[in-house]
Amino acid sequence: MRPHLALIEDEPDFALMCRSYLERAGFTVTWAMDARAGKSVLHESRVDLAILDLGLPDGSGLELLRALRSTSRLPVIVVSGRGAEADRVAGLEIGADDYLVKLSPSASWWPVSTRCCAALDRRTCRR
């Protein structure tokens, strides 16, 4: 069975590129365009890992992460345009398993798929 990822990202071009790459890498991807839809996917679907943008149109990705961490140990990788050290520290302190800064649209997504596999492996090891 293919690992199921929730992609919570509001930029359609970026989300479609990410989804396409991750599906070719062997993942099943459910895309949510905002925090509300992301919450729904996370609560109604069996998701193995979430990829979360911080700048969502209807709420903070950090607040969504905080709420998720209060009830779940689901692996979360933040992929955000916010690259300042303070943003990365905040994301990791709240509970992200990894934090990647969005690169140019033509950048390779190999590191993301590798980090998804690593986060899933860590979760399996914790059981």
Side-chain angles (χ1 to χ4, degrees), residues 43-94:
H43 293 297
E44 295 173 11
S45 301
R46 184 169 167 12
V47 175
D48 298 302
L49 182 140
I51 298 174
L52 176 63
D53 183 19
L54 297 184
L56 300 169
D58 63 340
S60 163
L62 287 176
E63 290 304 317
L64 179 55
L65 176 59
R66 185 175 283 117
L68 180 63
R69 277 295 168 255
S70 71
T71 62
S72 173
R73 291 181 52 188
L74 179 76
V76 176
I77 297 176
V78 170
V79 178
S80 178
R82 298 179 188 174
E85 184 177 358
D87 293 316
R88 291 180 289 187
V89 169
L92 293 168
E93 284 183 345
I94 290 172

Side-chain angles (χ1 to χ4, degrees), residues 3-111:
H4 184 197
L5 309 182
L7 173 61
I8 305 168
E9 167 62 56
D10 65 318
E11 296 177 31
D13 290 341
F14 187 81
L16 292 173
M17 185 255 324
C18 179
R19 181 180 184 173
S20 175
Y21 182 84
L22 290 168
E23 286 175 344
R24 284 194 311 267
F27 298 97
T28 298
V29 180
T30 300
W31 175 32
M33 291 185 68
D34 56 33
R36 186 181 69 218
K39 287 178 193 175
S40 178
V41 168
L42 293 171
H43 293 297
E44 295 173 11
S45 301
R46 184 169 167 12
V47 175
D48 298 302
L49 182 140
I51 298 174
L52 176 63
D53 183 19
L54 297 184
L56 300 169
D58 63 340
S60 163
L62 287 176
E63 290 304 317
L64 179 55
L65 176 59
R66 185 175 283 117
L68 180 63
R69 277 295 168 255
S70 71
T71 62
S72 173
R73 291 181 52 188
L74 179 76
V76 176
I77 297 176
V78 170
V79 178
S80 178
R82 298 179 188 174
E85 184 177 358
D87 293 316
R88 291 180 289 187
V89 169
L92 293 168
E93 284 183 345
I94 290 172
D97 293 273
D98 206 342
Y99 192 111
L100 299 171
V101 178
K102 288 181 187 176
L103 302 172
S104 68
S106 62
S108 170
W109 269 84
W110 176 83

